[in-house]
Amino acid sequence: MDKRACPCGSGAAYADCCGPYHRGGPAPTPEALMRSRYSAFALNLTDYLLASWHASTRPASLAADDQTRWVRLEIMASEAAGAQGRVHFRATFREGRRWAVLEEASRFLREEGRWYYQDGNTSMNRLKPGRNDPCPCGSGRKFKACCGVA
């Protein structure tokens, strides 16, 4: 059993958190689906990302991305009402030595008992952490002693 920490930041083991959804189980809420999709981005599980995307907005394909390292997910708000859901989140990532935060207000639809990602309004802000700033990964340590180590 996989006891490594789940990339979504829940604090649970991957096998008990997003792993069951990645193996085909239905996510019970829009937030659970958002967390599992974030983890799928972090683990490069493009098949899962496509399968959890609503057919009305799903791209024909999704290329793997080995350049982006997803380091932190923050759920700002989450709600579900009937067959519609919304999740507002921030995802911090690193590409090489460049840092950024993707913020999105996502919409989800539930069909036949399964939630699907529909679309979202996104914005992206570049980060330039200084050596003594808090690390963007959320560890609580200074950047120079965490992800800023070359």
Side-chain angles (χ1 to χ4, degrees):
M1 186 179 267
D2 193 344
K3 291 296 180 188
R4 66 187 159 151
C6 192
C8 80
S10 67
Y14 171 73
D16 301 326
C17 191
C18 293
Y21 311 135
H22 292 166
R23 291 188 300 276
T29 64
E31 181 176 335
L33 181 61
M34 181 66 250
R35 288 182 172 281
S36 72
R37 286 178 55 81
Y38 171 87
S39 292
F41 274 105
L43 299 171
N44 239 340
L45 303 176
T46 55
D47 288 345
Y48 177 79
L49 291 167
L50 289 170
S52 62
W53 211 313
H54 192 266
S56 67
T57 56
R58 179 187 312 132
S61 64
L62 194 59
D65 180 2
D66 296 326
Q67 304 304 309
T68 303
R69 183 172 156 244
W70 297 93
V71 298
R72 182 179 187 191
L73 175 66
E74 300 170 88
I75 303 294
M76 313 309 290
S78 178
E79 64 181 349
Q84 298 185 353
R86 296 186 183 278
V87 178
H88 177 197
F89 70 91
R90 288 187 196 134
T92 304
F93 64 95
R94 181 179 188 170
E95 293 174 326
R97 296 180 59 85
R98 297 178 66 182
W99 288 84
V101 173
L102 172 74
E103 187 164 344
E104 182 171 305
S106 304
R107 296 187 313 156
F108 296 83
L109 293 173
R110 185 171 57 204
E111 289 182 352
E112 298 178 11
R114 285 182 111 45
W115 285 102
Y116 294 92
Y117 170 77
Q118 184 178 17
D119 58 20
N121 293 320
T122 63
S123 65
M124 190 170 62
N125 294 307
R126 292 282 175 203
L127 300 176
K128 189 163 175 86
R131 290 177 34 82
N132 291 314
D133 291 340
C135 191
C137 77
S139 68
R141 299 185 334 196
K142 288 184 180 183
F143 181 65
K144 68 180 178 185
C146 192
C147 294
V149 175

